[in-house]
Amino acid sequence: MKEVNPQETSRAFAFEMWMNAPMPMVTFFKTLHVARLVQVSKKRGLKFNMLMCYCIGKAACRIKEFYLLPVGGKLIQFDSIAVNTIVANKEGEVSSCDIPFSEDLSLFNQNYLQLTQKVADSCVNHDLTDSMVIGTSALVQYEIDGAVGMYSGIFNNPFLIWGKYKHGFFKTTLTVSFQFHHTQMDGAHASRFLDGIQSEINNLSK
């Protein structure tokens, strides 16, 4: 990771416009078709949430804006991406776990299982400060349509939330909310990212 001059990047105008805005975060909602994700999860014995995180990471790494993040009033460029998941720990509370993204699904799954188990047992967050981290929170026991107003003023990272997927007669859907800092990306980038998640889900190998 390194600091870059915003004026030498494609985010120069956005940095001037949004870096000091009182509410620089934007939230998009999208309904994903996840029947294939459910099928792959059941057939291969893989966690649904892990597969979601994998598709998120794979879609993000195709968009160069995800490697930039406003941090402390500066624009920081990263060489790698990680996906965060919230873990229920042994004390009945929640802890945070950053998982380094790899396009190798087997390796990503291995890291996901090992790191989330370590965090659950230790009740200590696992943070990757040298990667651009995409936050996620899966409230899989609840039927929610999304979340807004997550901006803390401290963390500017992109963040996705989803609840329980819904079975229909001919489709299985999952509504996600995606919050992003407008300095980092525009609506077109965010939309392309969300479309990319759907594409990655559709292309998962059974």
Side-chain angles (χ1 to χ4, degrees):
M1 54 181 289
K2 64 180 181 180
E3 180 183 354
V4 294
N5 181 353
Q7 300 305 316
E8 297 176 357
T9 74
S10 61
R11 306 308 298 157
F13 178 74
F15 189 90
E16 290 184 8
M17 289 293 295
W18 295 100
M19 191 62 247
N20 296 315
M23 176 46 72
M25 311 302 285
V26 181
T27 302
F28 280 10
F29 292 84
K30 185 174 179 67
T31 298
L32 299 170
H33 296 270
V34 295
R36 189 174 189 88
L37 206 64
V38 174
Q39 293 168 1
V40 172
S41 174
K42 292 179 178 179
K43 185 175 182 179
R44 299 179 60 182
L46 300 170
K47 291 180 179 292
F48 180 91
N49 190 62
M50 183 281 295
L51 290 170
M52 271 293 294
C53 290
Y54 174 77
C55 291
I56 287 167
K58 197 168 183 183
C61 73
R62 304 281 190 265
I63 299 173
K64 63 182 178 61
E65 283 74 17
F66 271 88
Y67 291 89
L68 294 170
L69 186 70
V71 179
K74 302 175 181 179
L75 194 61
I76 304 299
Q77 184 177 60
F78 295 84
D79 293 327
S80 61
I81 285 175
V83 183
N84 171 275
T85 188
I86 302 301
V87 179
N89 63 41
K90 67 178 183 180
E91 294 182 353
E93 303 297 336
V94 295
S95 298
S96 173
C97 182
D98 293 346
I99 301 144
F101 177 71
S102 169
E103 294 205 30
D104 183 331
L105 178 56
S106 296
L107 178 58
F108 184 80
N109 181 52
Q110 178 181 340
N111 287 333
Y112 181 97
L113 295 175
Q114 290 178 348
L115 291 172
T116 54
Q117 188 62 57
K118 179 181 178 180
V119 168
D121 292 340
S122 67
C123 304
V124 176
N125 295 340
H126 181 262
D127 299 322
L128 294 175
T129 57
D130 58 349
S131 294
M132 205 299 298
V133 179
I134 304 167
T136 74
S137 182
L139 304 169
V140 295
Q141 66 271 46
Y142 303 107
E143 293 185 359
I144 63 170
D145 292 324
V148 296
M150 297 178 291
Y151 180 52
S152 67
I154 300 172
F155 300 108
N156 296 328
N157 301 63
F159 202 97
L160 295 98
I161 288 182
W162 60 88
K164 181 188 298 185
Y165 57 76
K166 301 175 183 178
H167 288 294
F169 286 110
F170 302 106
K171 58 186 178 181
T172 303
T173 60
L174 178 71
T175 300
V176 300
S177 62
F178 174 50
Q179 177 180 271
F180 59 95
H181 198 293
H182 215 329
T183 296
Q184 183 181 26
M185 69 184 78
D186 298 324
H189 304 121
S191 298
R192 184 153 55 92
F193 166 62
L194 292 171
D195 284 349
I197 296 175
Q198 183 66 73
S199 178
E200 297 300 337
I201 290 173
N202 295 343
N203 292 328
L204 274 176
S205 174
K206 296 182 179 180

